[in-house]
């Protein structure tokens, strides 16, 4: 397990009582190079160190990552005062590509979480204040539900506790092994 992942595992454990520690910011760019940043929910990590999030194939996020799969993640743990910045390459996984992975992510959602994917197309006008209507069933994974795997290429870790603060850079070498370097914060 890479050194940065050991640290991230520890950070998640130390902040498990803080609901906000399950959220991180994911940045992407559109076809014109305009950056977009949004908060997403951490859904886990694969054995090969990919961050897992879920999405809707009708969303801007999906469209942007389809066109330009390079993304950046910034994850701050306020309790431990640690920041992880990941350079990633996104893989968008639909039901057609991996039914088992996508279905397993759907099945982990609460009914309230599933409802969000059944309200209609994200970003379309909502003309009145009435309750959003559900279009579909919880039993069947909607075709527009997908999983995003973020393969990490490099990690910039900063611990803001202490003086001086502690910063590390982690990157894969030409053989695919993780190497680390302490940096001046």
């Amino acid at each position: 397990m890479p050194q940065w992942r050991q640290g991230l595992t520890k950070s998640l454990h130390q902040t498990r009582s803080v609901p906000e520690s399950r959220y991180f910011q994911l940045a992407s760019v559109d076809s014109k190079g305009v950056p977009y940043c949004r908060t997403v929910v951490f859904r886990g990590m694969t054995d090969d160190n990919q961050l897992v999030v879920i999405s809707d194939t009708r969303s801007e996020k999906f469209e942007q990552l389809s066109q330009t799969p390079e993304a950046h993640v910034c994850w701050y743990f306020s309790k431990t005062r640690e920041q992880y910045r990941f350079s990633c390459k996104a893989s968008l996984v639909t039901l057609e590509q991996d039914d088992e992975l996508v279905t397993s992510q759907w099945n982990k959602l609460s009914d309230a979480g599933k409802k969000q994917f059944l309200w209609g197309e994200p970003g379309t006008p909502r003309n009145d204040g009435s309750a959003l209507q559900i279009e579909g069933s919880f039993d069947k994974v909607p075709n527009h539900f997908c999983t995003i795997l973020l393969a990490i290429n490099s990690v910039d870790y900063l611990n803001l506790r202490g003086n001086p603060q502690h910063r590390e850079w982690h990157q894969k070498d030409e053989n695919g092994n993780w190497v680390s370097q302490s940096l001046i914060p």
Side-chain angles (χ1 to χ4, degrees):
M1 180 184 301
Q3 182 180 338
W4 65 263
R5 183 162 177 181
Q6 293 173 21
L8 179 61
T9 300
K10 183 178 177 183
S11 300
L12 285 163
H13 179 73
Q14 290 175 329
T15 62
R16 66 188 177 281
S17 63
V18 181
E20 296 81 22
S21 66
R22 292 184 38 238
Y23 302 96
F24 58 77
Q25 283 60 54
L26 173 63
S28 60
V29 295
D30 69 10
S31 60
K32 297 177 184 173
V34 177
Y36 287 82
C37 189
R38 79 275 293 154
T39 302
V40 296
V41 179
F42 172 62
R43 300 290 177 175
M45 186 168 272
T46 64
D47 292 340
D48 59 347
N49 304 313
Q50 296 182 87
L51 299 170
V52 179
V53 297
I54 58 173
S55 188
D56 189 314
T57 61
R58 305 168 298 174
S59 69
E60 290 177 337
K61 171 182 23 175
F62 184 88
E63 181 180 334
Q64 291 162 4
L65 292 171
S66 294
Q67 294 172 3
T68 307
E70 287 75 24
H72 207 83
V73 166
C74 186
W75 200 344
Y76 183 69
F77 296 90
S78 58
K79 183 176 179 180
T80 59
R81 299 185 62 207
E82 295 171 290
Q83 174 182 271
Y84 294 83
R85 292 188 306 139
F86 301 103
S87 283
C88 307
K89 184 168 185 177
S91 296
L92 308 169
V93 185
T94 63
L95 271 171
E96 288 181 2
Q97 296 165 317
D98 191 336
D99 181 282
E100 186 178 334
L101 172 65
V102 175
T103 299
S104 72
Q105 289 299 316
W106 177 257
N107 290 337
K108 290 177 185 177
L109 291 176
S110 65
D111 286 350
K114 291 176 181 176
K115 276 184 189 179
Q116 295 175 31
F117 289 92
L118 302 173
W119 284 335
E121 188 167 340
T124 57
R126 183 176 176 188
N127 296 326
D128 59 26
S130 63
L132 292 170
Q133 300 300 310
I134 296 173
E135 301 170 4
S137 165
F138 293 161
D139 301 330
K140 183 176 181 274
V141 182
N143 288 332
H144 55 266
F145 179 80
C146 70
T147 301
I148 300 175
L149 301 175
L150 298 166
I152 298 167
N153 301 316
S154 65
V155 180
D156 189 349
Y157 168 78
L158 177 63
N159 187 325
L160 295 166
R161 287 179 296 180
N163 190 9
Q165 296 135 358
H166 178 74
R167 184 175 175 194
E168 297 172 348
W169 178 257
H170 306 269
Q171 185 172 323
K172 286 185 180 179
D173 65 16
E174 60 277 351
N175 298 320
N177 299 312
W178 284 96
V179 293
S180 303
Q181 173 67 53
S182 291
L183 301 175
I184 298 171

